[in-house]
Amino acid sequence: KFLFGTPYYHSSIVYLGEQEYIRCASDGKRYGVCEDLAVCAVDSTEIRNLIPTILPAPFVTFGLFPEMSEALQNETCNVLVSGSYKIYGDSKLQDKIFSGSYIMSSFHISRDPLVSVIRPGDYAWFDLVEGAKAAALRSSHRNIEVAIGPWTCPNSTELPMSFLNAPRCVGSAYEVFERSLGPNAYGYNNSFMPTIDAYNFGSLDCEGECDDALKYGT
């Protein structure tokens, strides 16, 4: 059993490339004007599971995102399959999109909300994680930004805990997103876009000797 929080990240898998080949990939067409279709796909568990149900193996090459992004740009392939957040974080691909050389498919191969997962029994930690996320998002609405200078970020070991520390010390959801992935992807109404890069609050794996990692892990 686990405790699941509210979604903090909306992952969507999309096609990116020239419009003609995006249409070919979206339609699953591989003949006529689409006979030269070549797809580069980011090697992730989700994409590896999805692509074979859409396109046959000979049309697809898997690899790490930097390699697949470069392959698209040097025309080794003509369609990239990737999570939208990776595309937003690549300045060269952004330039291609803004210039009209590439388009991103409006068809989303997959849309998955990701959530925090907390060990059972960690209710106080669960509330802390959820509260920090809510504070970062709410601060974007209220124009509460990261404080300038270390003296304006209170030391939680010396002062009572406050959720205001999240935006003041790290930044609002908008600031964190902009800092991680660039200024052009954040949008409150664009639910298919990621809202913030994945939080990392530690591993569920056990450290040291213990039989139940979910109960005694980090």
Side-chain angles (χ1 to χ4, degrees):
K1 297 180 179 180
F2 301 95
L3 298 176
F4 295 94
T6 55
Y8 62 82
Y9 181 98
H10 286 82
S11 173
S12 77
I13 308 300
V14 297
Y15 295 123
L16 180 74
E18 297 180 9
Q19 184 171 3
E20 178 180 340
Y21 290 110
I22 292 296
R23 187 178 297 111
C24 293
S26 298
D27 294 342
K29 186 177 179 181
R30 303 179 299 277
Y31 53 87
V33 296
C34 300
E35 63 181 359
D36 294 326
L37 176 65
V39 177
C40 289
V42 175
D43 195 354
S44 69
T45 301
E46 182 180 19
I47 293 177
R48 274 197 174 272
N49 289 336
L50 286 169
I51 289 300
T53 66
I54 304 171
L55 296 168
F59 289 84
V60 184
T61 300
F62 288 94
L64 299 177
F65 177 78
E67 299 169 356
M68 299 297 95
S69 174
E70 182 63 28
L72 175 65
Q73 294 174 71
N74 64 26
E75 299 183 354
T76 300
C77 61
N78 40 48
V79 172
L80 172 67
V81 181
S82 172
S84 56
Y85 74 99
K86 290 183 178 290
I87 295 171
Y88 291 129
D90 188 309
S91 59
K92 292 183 178 179
L93 292 182
Q94 283 293 292
D95 290 342
K96 294 280 190 178
I97 294 173
F98 292 146
S99 68
S101 299
Y102 294 159
I103 65 167
M104 189 183 300
S105 63
S106 56
F107 166 71
H108 303 138
I109 305 172
S110 173
R111 290 174 58 179
D112 298 317
L114 304 183
V115 300
S116 305
V117 181
I118 310 298
R119 293 186 303 273
D122 281 355
Y123 299 110
W125 179 241
F126 176 85
D127 290 340
L128 181 62
V129 171
E130 291 300 297
K133 292 192 305 183
L137 181 59
R138 182 59 175 163
S139 63
S140 298
H141 305 161
R142 301 294 296 272
N143 292 322
I144 300 174
E145 299 178 342
V146 66
I148 307 298
W151 59 87
T152 56
C153 178
N155 188 330
S156 61
T157 61
E158 299 176 358
L159 298 174
M161 187 192 74
S162 169
F163 286 119
L164 183 61
N165 292 355
R168 281 299 189 194
C169 299
V170 181
S172 67
Y174 178 84
E175 289 179 296
V176 174
F177 192 93
E178 184 177 47
R179 186 168 63 237
S180 301
L181 299 176
N184 301 306
Y186 191 91
Y188 297 114
N189 296 322
N190 298 322
S191 60
F192 62 88
M193 292 184 179
T195 55
I196 197 168
D197 205 356
Y199 290 93
N200 182 3
F201 290 113
S203 172
L204 290 176
D205 294 333
C206 177
E207 283 191 354
E209 296 181 3
C210 62
D211 297 327
D212 189 347
L214 293 179
K215 185 176 181 181
Y216 301 104
T218 58

